[in-house]
Amino acid sequence: MIFLKTEDEIELMRAANLLVADTLTEIARNIRPGVTTRQLDSLAEEFIRDHGAVPTFKGYPNPYGGPFPASVCTSVNEVVVHGIPNDRPLEDGDVVSVDCGALLDGYNGDSCYTFCVGEVSADVKRLLRVTKESLYLGIKAALAGRRIGDIGYAVQRHCEANGYGVVREFVGHGIGKEMHEEPPVPNYGKRGSGVLIKDGMCIAIEPMITAGSPRIGIMPDRWTVKTLDGKCAAHFEHTVAVHHGKADILSSFAGIEEVEGKLY
Ligand code: MG
Ligand code: MG
C-alpha cells in the first residue's frame, strides 16, 4: 500500500531529511586519508542521537543474516551499497558512498552521497558526476500524473549513454513512517510504465551506478554488495515529496557541496 502524505507529514519528513543532510555534512568535514569508516560511523551516530533522532540503519534486519551493525553504510570503491564500517584507514584516491538514515518524530530521512578521499582520478570523478546528474534527471521526471518507470528511464538513459552500468538488484523506495515503503523505485524502466505518481507520494530516488558491468555479488557478511568486475561504483540518493505536481527535494547536498567547494 502506498501512503500519501499530508502537508504536515511532508514537513516532518523534511525535518528528518535535513537532519540526515546535516549528518552527511559532518561526514564531509571529517572525511580524509587516514580516517576510518568506523570513525565516520561513530560521528554520524552521535550527531543523529544528539539531535533527538535514531539512526534507522542500526540493527536493521536482514532476512539472510544478522542485523546491520552500524549507523551508516560506508561503501568504498568497488562496494556498491551496504558496506559495513571498519578499521581500515581511508586512502588518497578512495571514494566512499555514505548512506544515512534517521528517524525523527516518527518520520524517516534517507540520503546518500559518494565522497572523494583526497585526490581522485578523473575517470572516477566523471562516474560521480554522471551518477549525481542522473539523480537530478530522475527527480525532474517525478511529476504527478507520470509514472515510476519515467524516473528509472531518465536515470538509466543518462548513465548508459555515458557507458556506465545500472544496478538492477537494489532500487529506490517509498518512505515515510517506515524507511522502506511502497512503491519500489527502480533506476531503470520504460517511459509510461509502473505506478502512477501522485501528490503526497514520498520516495527515495537512489541511482547505484557502476563504472563497468552492473553485475554485483553479495559478500559472505550478507550485507556488502560489490561489483563482480571490481570496478568502482557510485551512489547518490535524495528523498523527495511530490508536492504541487512536482518533486520537492526534502534532503539536501548544499552543506556537503559547500565543504567540497572549500576542499577541492
Ligand atoms: Mg539510503
Ligand atoms: Mg534509500
Side-chain angles (χ1 to χ4, degrees), residues 145-169:
R146 292 182 64 181
R147 291 184 181 270
I148 291 291
D150 292 312
I151 299 171
Y153 173 81
V155 171
Q156 179 181 14
R157 192 171 112 122
H158 187 60
C159 293
E160 290 184 349
N162 279 280
Y164 297 138
V166 177
V167 171
R168 300 295 200 276
E169 291 85 345

Side-chain angles (χ1 to χ4, degrees), residues 48-69:
I48 291 167
R49 293 196 192 279
D50 281 353
H51 288 81
V54 176
T56 335
F57 297 178
K58 194 149 199 180
Y60 198 83
N62 179 343
Y64 307 105
F68 194 74

Side-chain angles (χ1 to χ4, degrees), residues 52-177:
V54 176
T56 335
F57 297 178
K58 194 149 199 180
Y60 198 83
N62 179 343
Y64 307 105
F68 194 74
S71 295
V72 287
C73 299
T74 52
S75 304
V76 180
N77 299 334
E78 76 280 10
V79 179
V80 184
V81 285
H82 304 163
I84 298 172
N86 62 30
D87 293 317
R88 181 181 82 80
L90 293 170
E91 291 173 19
D92 193 50
D94 284 341
V95 291
V96 192
S97 302
V98 181
D99 196 346
C100 180
L103 179 72
L104 177 68
D105 297 330
Y107 289 85
N108 280 282
D110 186 10
S111 179
C112 180
Y113 196 90
T114 304
F115 295 93
C116 296
V117 181
E119 198 47 55
V120 167
S121 75
D123 281 357
V124 171
K125 276 188 187 161
R126 180 175 172 273
L127 171 69
L128 304 194
R129 176 177 56 77
V130 169
T131 305
K132 197 198 274 191
E133 285 167 356
S134 79
L135 168 61
Y136 287 105
L137 290 169
I139 290 169
K140 244 174 99 179
L143 300 170
R146 292 182 64 181
R147 291 184 181 270
I148 291 291
D150 292 312
I151 299 171
Y153 173 81
V155 171
Q156 179 181 14
R157 192 171 112 122
H158 187 60
C159 293
E160 290 184 349
N162 279 280
Y164 297 138
V166 177
V167 171
R168 300 295 200 276
E169 291 85 345
F170 297 90
V171 298
H173 49 91
I175 177 166
K177 289 182 179 172

